[in-house]
């Protein structure tokens, strides 16, 4: 699905998504990533499945200065166990879990408002 949002051309935003990818400023990504207003980073869980997530993945995110993290779990909503996300609580980063479509739309709105938001995208290998 393509998304349309008029914004600062320099700001990284989601411009589309599918079951196996996201588009950020029209560039296709097919592996897990973290998007923040500072840019795109390949995530330590880039080739992981939901079932193989470990606390270290969320500890890596906690090292970023964010107020809120949107965690996209693919085409269906799945909640990580609290033991995995403990580092986010300790870093005082709010967590919202959603499917990939909701993540893309919500991130663009919050980033457009100038919020300190990150989007952790899980794209599971086929």
């Amino acid at each position: 699905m393509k998304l349309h949002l008029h914004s600062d051309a320099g700001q990284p935003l989601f411009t589309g998504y599918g079951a196996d990818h996201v588009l950020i400023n029209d560039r296709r990504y097919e592996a897990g990533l973290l998007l923040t207003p500072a840019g795109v980073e390949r995530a330590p869980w880039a080739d992981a499945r939901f079932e193989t997530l470990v606390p270290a993945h969320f500890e890596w995110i906690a090292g970023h200065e964010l107020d809120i993290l949107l965690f996209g779990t693919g085409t269906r909503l799945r909640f990580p166990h609290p033991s995995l996300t403990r580092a986010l609580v300790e870093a005082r980063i709010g967590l919202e879990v959603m499917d990939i479509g909701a993540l893309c739309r919500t991130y663009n709105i919050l980033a457009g408002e100038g919020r300190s938001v990150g989007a952790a995208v899980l794209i599971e290998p086929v």
Side-chain angles (χ1 to χ4, degrees), residues 5-125:
L5 178 71
H6 300 287
S7 183
D8 176 13
Q11 184 176 17
L13 296 172
F14 291 103
T15 52
Y17 63 90
D20 62 347
H21 72 280
V22 293
L23 299 174
I24 299 171
N25 293 358
D26 293 322
R27 181 171 175 201
R28 187 178 176 108
Y29 293 87
E30 297 178 348
L33 59 88
L34 177 67
L35 176 62
T36 67
V40 180
E41 293 181 64
R42 183 175 168 89
W45 64 86
D47 299 315
R49 301 195 65 74
F50 182 83
E51 297 78 19
T52 62
L53 292 172
V54 296
H57 294 139
F58 294 92
E59 291 166 6
W60 177 78
I61 296 169
H64 294 75
E65 290 194 28
L66 301 171
D67 290 334
I68 188 167
L69 176 73
L70 308 175
F71 181 50
T73 59
T75 58
R76 61 190 180 109
L77 184 61
R78 297 173 284 179
F79 291 91
H81 192 276
S83 64
L84 296 175
T85 61
R86 182 178 187 91
L88 298 176
V89 173
E90 292 172 355
R92 304 181 72 88
I93 297 173
L95 174 65
E96 293 291 335
V97 180
M98 50 194 66
D99 67 45
I100 198 165
L103 170 123
C104 293
R105 294 184 299 271
T106 304
Y107 177 86
N108 285 355
I109 291 167
L110 295 176
E113 292 175 350
R115 304 279 300 273
S116 178
V117 61
V121 181
L122 177 68
I123 299 174
E124 294 182 292

